[in-house]
Amino acid sequence: MDEIAKGLKLLSKFDVDFVVIGGVAAGAHGFSKVNFDADICYARTPANLTKVLSALRSVHAKLRGVPNETPFTLDEKALHRDLNFKFETDIGNLDLYGEVPGVGDYVECLSDSDEIEMWGHSFRLLSLKKLIASTRASGRPKDLLVLPELEAILKRKRVDEASALQIAKKS
């Protein structure tokens, strides 16, 4: 969890516009399994790409899961050319998505997000409904296995909200 906190705090320190997605978002919504890297959807504006680049360079980010001899220069052109990146950094793994399957880009993620306090910072968190959509759209077997629990959490939240609404109407 410490790596995740460091990654999200780093992005906040550099004032990057992002929404927390993936396993961290699932955990914040009540999912039971632990995640070991920070997944975020980031705004792809020129100003935000500059902030992302500064943050990544400050922790010596390198592409994760590719051979060392693979040519890659961490610069604005690379960030502009591709959407999604998996980085290994001095503070842990950090995965950046310019587009989230089943949801869309940063604007789409932001439009259905919640604010949450974690590790003394305020972050935007992808809504549970969109998190389920992205999990389903990924099609990866490991992701599809978590859908029943995420859907149960959503169902429980809806029941709780309906109950709270009925109580408020009676008052």
Side-chain angles (χ1 to χ4, degrees):
M1 257 334 177
D2 191 41
E3 286 184 10
I4 294 168
K6 287 179 181 177
L8 297 181
K9 288 178 182 181
L10 170 76
L11 297 172
S12 288
K13 175 183 170 185
F14 282 86
D15 201 28
V16 172
D17 295 323
F18 69 96
V19 175
V20 179
I21 62 172
V24 175
H29 284 297
F31 187 69
S32 63
K33 294 199 172 85
V34 177
N35 192 36
F36 296 102
D37 58 9
D39 299 329
I40 61 105
C41 181
Y42 64 103
R44 295 187 42 80
T45 63
N48 203 56
L49 290 179
T50 299
K51 295 178 206 176
V52 169
L53 184 59
S54 296
L56 292 172
R57 284 181 173 163
S58 77
V59 291
H60 308 102
K62 299 182 295 186
L63 286 179
R64 187 173 83 242
V66 298
N68 286 338
E69 60 274 0
T70 301
F72 178 78
T73 302
L74 183 56
D75 59 15
E76 278 100 350
K77 287 180 184 176
L79 293 179
H80 184 72
R81 183 179 54 246
D82 294 320
L83 286 174
N84 303 332
F85 300 90
K86 293 182 179 282
F87 289 108
E88 178 181 306
T89 76
D90 294 344
I91 60 171
N93 294 337
L94 187 59
D95 297 349
L96 281 64
Y97 293 86
E99 204 169 85
V100 179
V103 177
D105 64 8
Y106 168 77
V107 173
E108 289 295 319
C109 289
L110 184 64
S111 73
D112 196 4
S113 66
D114 306 304
E115 191 168 328
I116 187 168
E117 283 284 325
M118 294 187 297
W119 306 295
H121 290 265
S122 182
F123 300 104
R124 297 305 302 182
L125 180 73
L126 189 63
S127 74
L128 184 55
K129 181 178 149 191
K130 285 201 174 178
L131 185 62
I132 290 169
S134 72
T135 302
R136 185 174 283 114
S138 78
R140 297 184 312 181
K142 73 175 193 168
D143 291 339
L144 297 176
L145 289 173
V146 307
L147 275 175
E149 185 176 346
L150 292 176
E151 290 168 338
I153 293 167
L154 180 61
K155 184 178 180 179
R156 182 69 204 162
K157 285 186 177 192
R158 288 180 175 161
V159 167
D160 290 348
E161 288 169 2
S163 296
L165 186 59
Q166 286 179 346
I167 291 169
K169 284 182 180 179
K170 289 180 183 179
S171 298

